[in-house]
Amino acid sequence: MAQKDAQQDKQQPSAFDDPVYRTGIIELLGVLAYGEISACERLADDAKMTPVLQTKVEVASMAVAEFHHFELIRDRLVELGVDPFEAMAPFTATFERFHRQTAPSDWLEGLVKAYVGDGLASDFYREVASYLDPETRELVLETLSGTGHSEFVIDQVRAAIEADHRVGGRLALWGRRLMGEALSQAQMVVAERDALSAVIVGGIDQPGMDLAAIGRMFTRLTEAHAERMERLGLAA
């Protein structure tokens, strides 16, 4: 009986039987993995700029969390029989360009970038997870459960604004720039990757998003960003 059940399990159709879906998931995990390791690296650099020891430790803790996310995604790629570094390689230029164009000039800009980036990643994970196979969805939600380490930024930024109101205007402009660059890069990645686009548009357990739905998704991401900026005391 056990042998028969095992044979039936093997015969169960899998989302990964579709080569386009499999390629799309590998691309999705590749971009997420590189995003995590890149964020870890940048946060470690930003921690060096922070003059307050407690804040330095908080930023370093964010970097540790990002590395743990990377490990989870890397291990899943290995399970799929994929070299994780080959899966990440196509996205290196995209992330390096983003970080080059959004290099913070001081520790406050670094904190805002960490807060915006952490929130955007969390929102994007939630949006995409609904259109994935159960196992990949569980992985994405597991990484999502580890976000939220950037809440300490709120008090830091509000205190800086209270000490010097001119800081608010500068950081508000910085936050808009960060969001604009992030959305631009995300749209570029999806547009350039047919299989990744097919995963988002096609869906597995339910219909995927059409172009209008994708547009609404980016609108929701923008609205959530505005709410985060408000919590920081900044105009979006």
Side-chain angles (χ1 to χ4, degrees):
M1 179 66 71
Q3 183 177 3
K4 183 177 180 180
D5 290 341
Q7 290 175 345
Q8 289 178 340
D9 290 340
K10 289 181 180 179
Q11 293 172 357
Q12 289 293 323
S14 167
F16 288 91
D17 293 338
D18 179 352
V20 174
Y21 180 80
R22 176 182 170 83
T23 299
I25 289 298
I26 291 171
E27 290 178 345
L28 174 64
L29 296 179
V31 71
L32 292 180
Y34 195 83
E36 299 290 1
I37 197 65
S38 179
C40 173
E41 180 182 18
R42 301 301 170 175
L43 285 167
D45 287 340
D46 291 347
K48 298 174 184 177
M49 295 193 295
T50 306
V52 181
L53 180 58
Q54 182 178 354
T55 305
K56 190 185 296 288
V57 171
E58 295 279 11
V59 175
S61 295
M62 287 184 66
V64 172
E66 299 289 5
F67 186 75
H68 178 57
H69 297 165
F70 162 74
E71 290 180 311
L72 293 174
I73 301 168
R74 177 202 61 193
D75 292 348
R76 176 56 179 156
L77 284 166
V78 172
E79 288 176 4
L80 292 172
V82 177
D83 183 328
F85 300 101
E86 289 184 4
M88 291 189 290
F91 307 105
T92 301
T94 298
F95 280 97
E96 292 307 308
R97 181 169 58 248
F98 170 74
H99 287 302
R100 186 169 59 250
Q101 293 172 346
T102 60
S105 62
D106 62 18
W107 69 282
L108 284 172
E109 289 188 0
L111 288 183
V112 172
K113 181 178 178 180
Y115 184 71
V116 168
D118 192 46
L120 179 58
S122 177
D123 294 340
F124 181 73
Y125 286 0
R126 283 193 182 94
E127 293 282 354
V128 173
S130 299
Y131 302 95
L132 305 176
D133 63 275
E135 191 168 3
T136 306
R137 182 186 308 133
E138 182 179 354
L139 170 63
V140 170
L141 293 178
E142 186 175 357
T143 61
L144 172 61
S145 68
T147 61
H149 295 278
S150 62
E151 290 301 308
F152 73 94
V153 173
I154 296 174
D155 291 339
Q156 297 280 338
V157 171
R158 283 186 170 273
I161 294 172
E162 186 174 350
D164 183 354
H165 292 292
R166 293 173 298 178
V167 170
R170 175 171 67 86
L171 293 181
L173 289 174
W174 174 243
R176 295 186 200 118
R177 178 181 171 188
L178 289 171
M179 190 59 179
E181 291 286 354
L183 288 181
S184 176
Q185 296 298 331
Q187 290 170 330
M188 187 182 304
V189 167
V190 173
E192 291 176 348
R193 296 285 162 177
D194 292 340
L196 178 56
S197 299
V199 167
I200 297 174
V201 174
I204 293 299
D205 296 334
Q206 57 182 308
M209 293 184 285
D210 57 19
L211 293 178
I214 291 175
R216 290 192 294 271
M217 177 188 74
F218 280 112
T219 297
R220 289 191 295 272
L221 293 177
T222 302
E223 291 172 347
H225 168 72
E227 293 175 2
R228 280 190 294 274
M229 292 287 282
E230 185 177 354
R231 288 196 291 273
L232 290 172
L234 302 173

